[in-house]
């Protein structure tokens, strides 16, 4: 009898864990942004692009079950002065007339052992898709109760080589590395 109860308890525990699903979240586009920094003649220049849409599901118990698929409107990029923004959107860099969107699709999410996560996936810029890794952190708004995950901010950080995506314009005075700092404000569906 004891073994039967123990077996049933284990089975129910396993079944409840197996059927637990990640929580779906909606993006608050008006508050979310992709920040980026690049170097021009040894000076760091910052810019932004709006996040146009996102499909986000987070599993806090099993991060590998999480997914983050994001699209960024590169045609709305702002990179310092207006002439820099237009150069960024031009054919030799982002070529937004032909490739107006930048996308990222996560493939793996795992804890980093420091309270955050490492997210790897595929980033597409200018029609070129390359593997990309981001560090990820989640934050609750000030005053939100501990354990309340109804509203969150996801912060992703990473760097990329623009030449790996064919964005080689102005290489004689613009550095190859672009640092990304993405903040997405989300609410549980």
């Amino acid at each position: 009898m004891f073994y039967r109860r123990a077996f049933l308890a284990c089975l129910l525990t396993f079944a409840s864990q197996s059927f637990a699903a990640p929580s779906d979240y909606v993006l608050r586009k008006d508050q979310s942004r992709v920040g980026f920094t690049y170097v021009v003649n040894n000076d760091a220049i910052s810019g932004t692009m709006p996040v146009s849409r996102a499909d986000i599901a987070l599993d806090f118990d099993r991060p590998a079950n999480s997914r983050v698929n994001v699209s960024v409107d590169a045609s709305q990029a702002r990179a310092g002065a207006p002439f820099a923004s237009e150069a960024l959107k031009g054919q030799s860099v982002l070529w937004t007339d032909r490739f107006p969107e930048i996308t990222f699709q996560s493939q793996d999410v795992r804890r980093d052992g420091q309270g955050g996560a490492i997210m790897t996936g595929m980033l597409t810029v200018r029609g070129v898709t390359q593997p990309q890794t981001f560090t990820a952190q989640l934050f609750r708004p000030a005053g939100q109760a501990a354990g309340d995950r109804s509203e969150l901010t996801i912060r992703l950080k990473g760097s990329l080589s623009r030449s790996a995506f064919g964005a080689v314009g102005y290489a004689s005075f613009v550095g190859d590395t672009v640092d990304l700092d993405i903040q997405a404000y989300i609410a549980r569906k």
Side-chain angles (χ1 to χ4, degrees):
M1 189 66 148
F2 171 76
Y3 292 111
R4 177 186 269 179
R5 287 184 185 159
F7 174 75
L8 286 174
C10 288
L11 184 62
L12 289 174
T13 301
F14 176 74
S16 68
Q17 289 177 352
S18 297
F19 295 114
S23 297
D24 290 325
Y25 285 82
V26 294
L27 177 73
R28 293 193 170 163
K29 290 191 320 185
D30 60 322
Q31 297 173 320
S32 302
R33 67 164 181 77
V34 173
F36 58 91
T37 304
Y38 59 101
V39 175
V40 177
N41 292 329
N42 298 319
D43 291 325
I45 307 293
S46 295
T48 61
M49 293 182 205
V51 178
S52 54
R53 67 180 175 275
D55 172 26
I56 299 170
L58 301 176
D59 189 327
F60 300 98
D61 296 323
R62 292 172 302 284
N65 292 338
S66 299
R67 83 175 172 277
V68 175
N69 299 320
V70 178
S71 296
V72 175
D73 186 354
S75 70
Q76 297 299 312
R78 301 291 176 255
F83 70 88
S85 297
E86 292 309 310
L88 175 68
K89 294 185 272 186
Q91 185 173 350
S92 66
V93 185
L94 292 179
W95 199 1
T96 60
D97 285 345
R98 184 163 180 200
F99 305 103
E101 217 171 46
I102 295 172
T103 62
F104 175 76
Q105 294 184 338
S106 67
Q107 294 180 321
D108 184 50
V109 180
R110 58 185 160 77
R111 288 186 173 92
D112 67 3
Q114 300 174 8
I118 303 295
M119 182 180 299
T120 56
M122 301 305 286
L123 179 67
T124 302
V125 179
R126 290 178 50 103
V128 177
T129 302
Q130 298 280 344
Q132 178 68 40
T133 299
F134 290 102
T135 59
Q137 293 180 302
L138 289 172
F139 302 95
R140 283 187 300 275
Q144 187 169 309
D148 180 357
R149 297 174 174 156
S150 60
E151 293 184 19
L152 297 168
T153 300
I154 299 177
R155 188 164 189 191
L156 302 172
K157 288 187 170 188
S159 296
L160 61 85
S161 160
R162 65 189 187 99
S163 62
F165 294 94
V168 296
Y170 312 100
S172 62
F173 55 92
V174 177
D176 187 51
T177 300
V178 178
D179 295 322
L180 300 171
D181 185 357
I182 302 162
Q183 290 189 35
Y185 294 85
I186 60 175
R188 188 171 23 221
K189 286 185 181 178

